Amino acid sequence: MALVIEGEEKIAAPIDVVWKALNDPAILKESIPGCESLEMSSPTEMAAKVVLKIGPIKATFAGEVTLKNLKPPRSYTIEGEGKGGIAGFAKGGADVTLTEDGPDATILKYAAKADVGGKIAQLGSRLITSTSKKLAGQFFSTFGEKVGGA
């Protein structure tokens, strides 16, 4: 089952600060809902462990995240895949772009595509889509607060 999530967040910080934060595993770990661990294995690769509850299913996903198409400090593509045992799998990516909005503000836009399978996919597209949008919204608002100091 495939889904697409798009959005944008205004962050009260200069573009260079936002770019650094997007590449900082400590800030990303604090921003990702349910993230138990996030470790860099190279400048463009991270290993993650995330616990998510989608409807009646709670699963721990272990996965790899790769950063591609890096154009500092403007954009990159993040791709990842996670396996949640019998709960299923999730894989996908997002194109993230940063645009200056004055000297002390940045507009972060994202367009994410995800594919889920296994028991999670059986929950129905409405529940998965609404949960995914909620999680993406939580990530970007938390990220914006941490980076912008709101």
Side-chain angles (χ1 to χ4, degrees), residues 108-129:
L108 183 154
K109 288 187 181 178
Y110 59 94
K113 291 183 180 135
D115 190 25
V116 296
K119 281 192 176 190
I120 292 172
Q122 297 169 3
L123 292 173
S125 62
R126 267 200 191 135
L127 177 61
I128 292 170
T129 301

mmCIF file with all atom_site columns, all heavy atoms in Angstrom, residues 108-129:
data_model
loop_
_atom_site.group_PDB
_atom_site.id
_atom_site.type_symbol
_atom_site.label_atom_id
_atom_site.label_alt_id
_atom_site.label_comp_id
_atom_site.label_asym_id
_atom_site.label_entity_id
_atom_site.label_seq_id
_atom_site.pdbx_PDB_ins_code
_atom_site.Cartn_x
_atom_site.Cartn_y
_atom_site.Cartn_z
_atom_site.occupancy
_atom_site.B_iso_or_equiv
_atom_site.pdbx_formal_charge
_atom_site.auth_seq_id
_atom_site.auth_comp_id
_atom_site.auth_asym_id
_atom_site.auth_atom_id
_atom_site.pdbx_PDB_model_num
ATOM 1   N N   . LEU A 1 108 ? 10.742  24.869  5.371  1.00 0.00 ? 108 LEU A N   1
ATOM 2   C CA  . LEU A 1 108 ? 11.107  23.486  5.092  1.00 0.00 ? 108 LEU A CA  1
ATOM 3   C C   . LEU A 1 108 ? 9.895   22.836  4.434  1.00 0.00 ? 108 LEU A C   1
ATOM 4   O O   . LEU A 1 108 ? 8.815   22.808  5.018  1.00 0.00 ? 108 LEU A O   1
ATOM 5   C CB  . LEU A 1 108 ? 11.463  22.777  6.399  1.00 0.00 ? 108 LEU A CB  1
ATOM 6   C CG  . LEU A 1 108 ? 11.935  21.336  6.286  1.00 0.00 ? 108 LEU A CG  1
ATOM 7   C CD1 . LEU A 1 108 ? 12.816  20.990  7.484  1.00 0.00 ? 108 LEU A CD1 1
ATOM 8   C CD2 . LEU A 1 108 ? 10.801  20.357  6.206  1.00 0.00 ? 108 LEU A CD2 1
ATOM 9   N N   . LYS A 1 109 ? 10.079  22.346  3.212  1.00 0.00 ? 109 LYS A N   1
ATOM 10  C CA  . LYS A 1 109 ? 9.007   21.637  2.508  1.00 0.00 ? 109 LYS A CA  1
ATOM 11  C C   . LYS A 1 109 ? 9.412   20.177  2.371  1.00 0.00 ? 109 LYS A C   1
ATOM 12  O O   . LYS A 1 109 ? 10.589  19.875  2.165  1.00 0.00 ? 109 LYS A O   1
ATOM 13  C CB  . LYS A 1 109 ? 8.776   22.223  1.117  1.00 0.00 ? 109 LYS A CB  1
ATOM 14  C CG  . LYS A 1 109 ? 8.110   23.576  1.121  1.00 0.00 ? 109 LYS A CG  1
ATOM 15  C CD  . LYS A 1 109 ? 7.772   24.011  -0.289 1.00 0.00 ? 109 LYS A CD  1
ATOM 16  C CE  . LYS A 1 109 ? 7.131   25.384  -0.245 1.00 0.00 ? 109 LYS A CE  1
ATOM 17  N NZ  . LYS A 1 109 ? 6.804   25.912  -1.549 1.00 0.00 ? 109 LYS A NZ  1
ATOM 18  N N   . TYR A 1 110 ? 8.420   19.300  2.463  1.00 0.00 ? 110 TYR A N   1
ATOM 19  C CA  . TYR A 1 110 ? 8.710   17.881  2.284  1.00 0.00 ? 110 TYR A CA  1
ATOM 20  C C   . TYR A 1 110 ? 7.623   17.217  1.457  1.00 0.00 ? 110 TYR A C   1
ATOM 21  O O   . TYR A 1 110 ? 6.458   17.598  1.492  1.00 0.00 ? 110 TYR A O   1
ATOM 22  C CB  . TYR A 1 110 ? 8.860   17.170  3.636  1.00 0.00 ? 110 TYR A CB  1
ATOM 23  C CG  . TYR A 1 110 ? 7.636   17.246  4.531  1.00 0.00 ? 110 TYR A CG  1
ATOM 24  C CD1 . TYR A 1 110 ? 6.683   16.235  4.533  1.00 0.00 ? 110 TYR A CD1 1
ATOM 25  C CD2 . TYR A 1 110 ? 7.441   18.322  5.385  1.00 0.00 ? 110 TYR A CD2 1
ATOM 26  C CE1 . TYR A 1 110 ? 5.568   16.309  5.351  1.00 0.00 ? 110 TYR A CE1 1
ATOM 27  C CE2 . TYR A 1 110 ? 6.332   18.394  6.204  1.00 0.00 ? 110 TYR A CE2 1
ATOM 28  C CZ  . TYR A 1 110 ? 5.394   17.377  6.183  1.00 0.00 ? 110 TYR A CZ  1
ATOM 29  O OH  . TYR A 1 110 ? 4.282   17.462  6.987  1.00 0.00 ? 110 TYR A OH  1
ATOM 30  N N   . ALA A 1 111 ? 8.059   16.246  0.673  1.00 0.00 ? 111 ALA A N   1
ATOM 31  C CA  . ALA A 1 111 ? 7.153   15.404  -0.106 1.00 0.00 ? 111 ALA A CA  1
ATOM 32  C C   . ALA A 1 111 ? 7.627   13.978  0.130  1.00 0.00 ? 111 ALA A C   1
ATOM 33  O O   . ALA A 1 111 ? 8.705   13.594  -0.313 1.00 0.00 ? 111 ALA A O   1
ATOM 34  C CB  . ALA A 1 111 ? 7.217   15.763  -1.583 1.00 0.00 ? 111 ALA A CB  1
ATOM 35  N N   . ALA A 1 112 ? 6.828   13.234  0.881  1.00 0.00 ? 112 ALA A N   1
ATOM 36  C CA  . ALA A 1 112 ? 7.230   11.883  1.273  1.00 0.00 ? 112 ALA A CA  1
ATOM 37  C C   . ALA A 1 112 ? 6.354   10.844  0.588  1.00 0.00 ? 112 ALA A C   1
ATOM 38  O O   . ALA A 1 112 ? 5.154   11.046  0.397  1.00 0.00 ? 112 ALA A O   1
ATOM 39  C CB  . ALA A 1 112 ? 7.127   11.730  2.785  1.00 0.00 ? 112 ALA A CB  1
ATOM 40  N N   . LYS A 1 113 ? 6.981   9.737   0.231  1.00 0.00 ? 113 LYS A N   1
ATOM 41  C CA  . LYS A 1 113 ? 6.257   8.596   -0.310 1.00 0.00 ? 113 LYS A CA  1
ATOM 42  C C   . LYS A 1 113 ? 6.630   7.393   0.537  1.00 0.00 ? 113 LYS A C   1
ATOM 43  O O   . LYS A 1 113 ? 7.799   7.208   0.887  1.00 0.00 ? 113 LYS A O   1
ATOM 44  C CB  . LYS A 1 113 ? 6.666   8.336   -1.761 1.00 0.00 ? 113 LYS A CB  1
ATOM 45  C CG  . LYS A 1 113 ? 6.190   9.403   -2.708 1.00 0.00 ? 113 LYS A CG  1
ATOM 46  C CD  . LYS A 1 113 ? 6.542   9.067   -4.132 1.00 0.00 ? 113 LYS A CD  1
ATOM 47  C CE  . LYS A 1 113 ? 6.044   10.177  -5.027 1.00 0.00 ? 113 LYS A CE  1
ATOM 48  N NZ  . LYS A 1 113 ? 6.972   10.597  -6.021 1.00 0.00 ? 113 LYS A NZ  1
ATOM 49  N N   . ALA A 1 114 ? 5.640   6.600   0.875  1.00 0.00 ? 114 ALA A N   1
ATOM 50  C CA  . ALA A 1 114 ? 5.907   5.419   1.689  1.00 0.00 ? 114 ALA A CA  1
ATOM 51  C C   . ALA A 1 114 ? 5.114   4.237   1.160  1.00 0.00 ? 114 ALA A C   1
ATOM 52  O O   . ALA A 1 114 ? 4.050   4.390   0.556  1.00 0.00 ? 114 ALA A O   1
ATOM 53  C CB  . ALA A 1 114 ? 5.542   5.679   3.149  1.00 0.00 ? 114 ALA A CB  1
ATOM 54  N N   . ASP A 1 115 ? 5.634   3.068   1.415  1.00 0.00 ? 115 ASP A N   1
ATOM 55  C CA  . ASP A 1 115 ? 4.980   1.824   1.038  1.00 0.00 ? 115 ASP A CA  1
ATOM 56  C C   . ASP A 1 115 ? 5.009   0.930   2.269  1.00 0.00 ? 115 ASP A C   1
ATOM 57  O O   . ASP A 1 115 ? 6.070   0.757   2.883  1.00 0.00 ? 115 ASP A O   1
ATOM 58  C CB  . ASP A 1 115 ? 5.730   1.174   -0.134 1.00 0.00 ? 115 ASP A CB  1
ATOM 59  C CG  . ASP A 1 115 ? 4.975   0.006   -0.722 1.00 0.00 ? 115 ASP A CG  1
ATOM 60  O OD1 . ASP A 1 115 ? 3.733   -0.032  -0.597 1.00 0.00 ? 115 ASP A OD1 1
ATOM 61  O OD2 . ASP A 1 115 ? 5.620   -0.872  -1.321 1.00 0.00 ? 115 ASP A OD2 1
ATOM 62  N N   . VAL A 1 116 ? 3.853   0.408   2.656  1.00 0.00 ? 116 VAL A N   1
ATOM 63  C CA  . VAL A 1 116 ? 3.801   -0.473  3.823  1.00 0.00 ? 116 VAL A CA  1
ATOM 64  C C   . VAL A 1 116 ? 3.212   -1.815  3.417  1.00 0.00 ? 116 VAL A C   1
ATOM 65  O O   . VAL A 1 116 ? 2.412   -1.913  2.495  1.00 0.00 ? 116 VAL A O   1
ATOM 66  C CB  . VAL A 1 116 ? 2.974   0.136   4.990  1.00 0.00 ? 116 VAL A CB  1
ATOM 67  C CG1 . VAL A 1 116 ? 3.630   1.394   5.508  1.00 0.00 ? 116 VAL A CG1 1
ATOM 68  C CG2 . VAL A 1 116 ? 1.549   0.422   4.568  1.00 0.00 ? 116 VAL A CG2 1
ATOM 69  N N   . GLY A 1 117 ? 3.641   -2.853  4.133  1.00 0.00 ? 117 GLY A N   1
ATOM 70  C CA  . GLY A 1 117 ? 3.147   -4.194  3.843  1.00 0.00 ? 117 GLY A CA  1
ATOM 71  C C   . GLY A 1 117 ? 3.062   -5.011  5.120  1.00 0.00 ? 117 GLY A C   1
ATOM 72  O O   . GLY A 1 117 ? 3.514   -4.594  6.179  1.00 0.00 ? 117 GLY A O   1
ATOM 73  N N   . GLY A 1 118 ? 2.461   -6.182  5.020  1.00 0.00 ? 118 GLY A N   1
ATOM 74  C CA  . GLY A 1 118 ? 2.302   -7.043  6.182  1.00 0.00 ? 118 GLY A CA  1
ATOM 75  C C   . GLY A 1 118 ? 1.017   -6.717  6.930  1.00 0.00 ? 118 GLY A C   1
ATOM 76  O O   . GLY A 1 118 ? 0.073   -6.157  6.375  1.00 0.00 ? 118 GLY A O   1
ATOM 77  N N   . LYS A 1 119 ? 0.985   -7.050  8.226  1.00 0.00 ? 119 LYS A N   1
ATOM 78  C CA  . LYS A 1 119 ? -0.221  -6.823  9.028  1.00 0.00 ? 119 LYS A CA  1
ATOM 79  C C   . LYS A 1 119 ? -0.637  -5.362  9.056  1.00 0.00 ? 119 LYS A C   1
ATOM 80  O O   . LYS A 1 119 ? -1.821  -5.050  9.091  1.00 0.00 ? 119 LYS A O   1
ATOM 81  C CB  . LYS A 1 119 ? -0.001  -7.299  10.468 1.00 0.00 ? 119 LYS A CB  1
ATOM 82  C CG  . LYS A 1 119 ? -0.122  -8.785  10.627 1.00 0.00 ? 119 LYS A CG  1
ATOM 83  C CD  . LYS A 1 119 ? -0.198  -9.148  12.090 1.00 0.00 ? 119 LYS A CD  1
ATOM 84  C CE  . LYS A 1 119 ? -0.408  -10.635 12.195 1.00 0.00 ? 119 LYS A CE  1
ATOM 85  N NZ  . LYS A 1 119 ? -0.724  -11.083 13.522 1.00 0.00 ? 119 LYS A NZ  1
ATOM 86  N N   . ILE A 1 120 ? 0.336   -4.469  9.060  1.00 0.00 ? 120 ILE A N   1
ATOM 87  C CA  . ILE A 1 120 ? 0.018   -3.045  9.102  1.00 0.00 ? 120 ILE A CA  1
ATOM 88  C C   . ILE A 1 120 ? -0.824  -2.646  7.895  1.00 0.00 ? 120 ILE A C   1
ATOM 89  O O   . ILE A 1 120 ? -1.794  -1.906  8.023  1.00 0.00 ? 120 ILE A O   1
ATOM 90  C CB  . ILE A 1 120 ? 1.311   -2.194  9.152  1.00 0.00 ? 120 ILE A CB  1
ATOM 91  C CG1 . ILE A 1 120 ? 2.012   -2.417  10.484 1.00 0.00 ? 120 ILE A CG1 1
ATOM 92  C CG2 . ILE A 1 120 ? 1.008   -0.725  8.963  1.00 0.00 ? 120 ILE A CG2 1
ATOM 93  C CD1 . ILE A 1 120 ? 3.359   -1.792  10.558 1.00 0.00 ? 120 ILE A CD1 1
ATOM 94  N N   . ALA A 1 121 ? -0.490  -3.175  6.727  1.00 0.00 ? 121 ALA A N   1
ATOM 95  C CA  . ALA A 1 121 ? -1.213  -2.820  5.504  1.00 0.00 ? 121 ALA A CA  1
ATOM 96  C C   . ALA A 1 121 ? -2.669  -3.283  5.563  1.00 0.00 ? 121 ALA A C   1
ATOM 97  O O   . ALA A 1 121 ? -3.530  -2.727  4.895  1.00 0.00 ? 121 ALA A O   1
ATOM 98  C CB  . ALA A 1 121 ? -0.512  -3.402  4.284  1.00 0.00 ? 121 ALA A CB  1
ATOM 99  N N   . GLN A 1 122 ? -2.958  -4.290  6.380  1.00 0.00 ? 122 GLN A N   1
ATOM 100 C CA  . GLN A 1 122 ? -4.318  -4.803  6.498  1.00 0.00 ? 122 GLN A CA  1
ATOM 101 C C   . GLN A 1 122 ? -5.217  -3.897  7.343  1.00 0.00 ? 122 GLN A C   1
ATOM 102 O O   . GLN A 1 122 ? -6.424  -4.093  7.394  1.00 0.00 ? 122 GLN A O   1
ATOM 103 C CB  . GLN A 1 122 ? -4.294  -6.215  7.105  1.00 0.00 ? 122 GLN A CB  1
ATOM 104 C CG  . GLN A 1 122 ? -3.564  -7.216  6.221  1.00 0.00 ? 122 GLN A CG  1
ATOM 105 C CD  . GLN A 1 122 ? -3.311  -8.537  6.928  1.00 0.00 ? 122 GLN A CD  1
ATOM 106 O OE1 . GLN A 1 122 ? -3.726  -8.741  8.056  1.00 0.00 ? 122 GLN A OE1 1
ATOM 107 N NE2 . GLN A 1 122 ? -2.605  -9.423  6.259  1.00 0.00 ? 122 GLN A NE2 1
ATOM 108 N N   . LEU A 1 123 ? -4.627  -2.894  8.001  1.00 0.00 ? 123 LEU A N   1
ATOM 109 C CA  . LEU A 1 123 ? -5.431  -2.010  8.855  1.00 0.00 ? 123 LEU A CA  1
ATOM 110 C C   . LEU A 1 123 ? -6.306  -1.059  8.059  1.00 0.00 ? 123 LEU A C   1
ATOM 111 O O   . LEU A 1 123 ? -7.246  -0.493  8.590  1.00 0.00 ? 123 LEU A O   1
ATOM 112 C CB  . LEU A 1 123 ? -4.512  -1.184  9.771  1.00 0.00 ? 123 LEU A CB  1
ATOM 113 C CG  . LEU A 1 123 ? -3.769  -1.964  10.836 1.00 0.00 ? 123 LEU A CG  1
ATOM 114 C CD1 . LEU A 1 123 ? -2.784  -1.054  11.545 1.00 0.00 ? 123 LEU A CD1 1
ATOM 115 C CD2 . LEU A 1 123 ? -4.739  -2.575  11.827 1.00 0.00 ? 123 LEU A CD2 1
ATOM 116 N N   . GLY A 1 124 ? -5.992  -0.869  6.813  1.00 0.00 ? 124 GLY A N   1
ATOM 117 C CA  . GLY A 1 124 ? -6.794  0.020   5.996  1.00 0.00 ? 124 GLY A CA  1
ATOM 118 C C   . GLY A 1 124 ? -6.078  1.324   5.720  1.00 0.00 ? 124 GLY A C   1
ATOM 119 O O   . GLY A 1 124 ? -5.359  1.858   6.558  1.00 0.00 ? 124 GLY A O   1
ATOM 120 N N   . SER A 1 125 ? -6.307  1.837   4.529  1.00 0.00 ? 125 SER A N   1
ATOM 121 C CA  . SER A 1 125 ? -5.569  3.010   4.081  1.00 0.00 ? 125 SER A CA  1
ATOM 122 C C   . SER A 1 125 ? -5.906  4.263   4.876  1.00 0.00 ? 125 SER A C   1
ATOM 123 O O   . SER A 1 125 ? -5.048  5.097   5.104  1.00 0.00 ? 125 SER A O   1
ATOM 124 C CB  . SER A 1 125 ? -5.797  3.245   2.595  1.00 0.00 ? 125 SER A CB  1
ATOM 125 O OG  . SER A 1 125 ? -7.158  3.492   2.346  1.00 0.00 ? 125 SER A OG  1
ATOM 126 N N   . ARG A 1 126 ? -7.164  4.406   5.329  1.00 0.00 ? 126 ARG A N   1
ATOM 127 C CA  . ARG A 1 126 ? -7.523  5.617   6.083  1.00 0.00 ? 126 ARG A CA  1
ATOM 128 C C   . ARG A 1 126 ? -6.720  5.730   7.377  1.00 0.00 ? 126 ARG A C   1
ATOM 129 O O   . ARG A 1 126 ? -6.190  6.785   7.691  1.00 0.00 ? 126 ARG A O   1
ATOM 130 C CB  . ARG A 1 126 ? -9.012  5.602   6.435  1.00 0.00 ? 126 ARG A CB  1
ATOM 131 C CG  . ARG A 1 126 ? -9.836  6.300   5.450  1.00 0.00 ? 126 ARG A CG  1
ATOM 132 C CD  . ARG A 1 126 ? -11.163 6.674   6.081  1.00 0.00 ? 126 ARG A CD  1
ATOM 133 N NE  . ARG A 1 126 ? -12.051 7.111   5.040  1.00 0.00 ? 126 ARG A NE  1
ATOM 134 C CZ  . ARG A 1 126 ? -13.298 6.734   4.928  1.00 0.00 ? 126 ARG A CZ  1
ATOM 135 N NH1 . ARG A 1 126 ? -13.822 5.907   5.805  1.00 0.00 ? 126 ARG A NH1 1
ATOM 136 N NH2 . ARG A 1 126 ? -14.030 7.187   3.958  1.00 0.00 ? 126 ARG A NH2 1
ATOM 137 N N   . LEU A 1 127 ? -6.677  4.643   8.126  1.00 0.00 ? 127 LEU A N   1
ATOM 138 C CA  . LEU A 1 127 ? -5.958  4.653   9.408  1.00 0.00 ? 127 LEU A CA  1
ATOM 139 C C   . LEU A 1 127 ? -4.463  4.880   9.184  1.00 0.00 ? 127 LEU A C   1
ATOM 140 O O   . LEU A 1 127 ? -3.836  5.689   9.869  1.00 0.00 ? 127 LEU A O   1
ATOM 141 C CB  . LEU A 1 127 ? -6.190  3.344   10.171 1.00 0.00 ? 127 LEU A CB  1
ATOM 142 C CG  . LEU A 1 127 ? -5.440  3.203   11.500 1.00 0.00 ? 127 LEU A CG  1
ATOM 143 C CD1 . LEU A 1 127 ? -5.866  4.298   12.473 1.00 0.00 ? 127 LEU A CD1 1
ATOM 144 C CD2 . LEU A 1 127 ? -5.685  1.838   12.096 1.00 0.00 ? 127 LEU A CD2 1
ATOM 145 N N   . ILE A 1 128 ? -3.892  4.197   8.206  1.00 0.00 ? 128 ILE A N   1
ATOM 146 C CA  . ILE A 1 128 ? -2.462  4.329   7.943  1.00 0.00 ? 128 ILE A CA  1
ATOM 147 C C   . ILE A 1 128 ? -2.131  5.739   7.454  1.00 0.00 ? 128 ILE A C   1
ATOM 148 O O   . ILE A 1 128 ? -1.174  6.360   7.904  1.00 0.00 ? 128 ILE A O   1
ATOM 149 C CB  . ILE A 1 128 ? -1.988  3.266   6.929  1.00 0.00 ? 128 ILE A CB  1
ATOM 150 C CG1 . ILE A 1 128 ? -2.084  1.884   7.580  1.00 0.00 ? 128 ILE A CG1 1
ATOM 151 C CG2 . ILE A 1 128 ? -0.560  3.540   6.481  1.00 0.00 ? 128 ILE A CG2 1
ATOM 152 C CD1 . ILE A 1 128 ? -1.882  0.750   6.631  1.00 0.00 ? 128 ILE A CD1 1
ATOM 153 N N   . THR A 1 129 ? -2.945  6.271   6.552  1.00 0.00 ? 129 THR A N   1
ATOM 154 C CA  . THR A 1 129 ? -2.702  7.618   6.034  1.00 0.00 ? 129 THR A CA  1
ATOM 155 C C   . THR A 1 129 ? -2.822  8.658   7.135  1.00 0.00 ? 129 THR A C   1
ATOM 156 O O   . THR A 1 129 ? -1.955  9.523   7.283  1.00 0.00 ? 129 THR A O   1
ATOM 157 C CB  . THR A 1 129 ? -3.671  7.944   4.876  1.00 0.00 ? 129 THR A CB  1
ATOM 158 O OG1 . THR A 1 129 ? -3.479  6.968   3.849  1.00 0.00 ? 129 THR A OG1 1
ATOM 159 C CG2 . THR A 1 129 ? -3.417  9.328   4.310  1.00 0.00 ? 129 THR A CG2 1
#
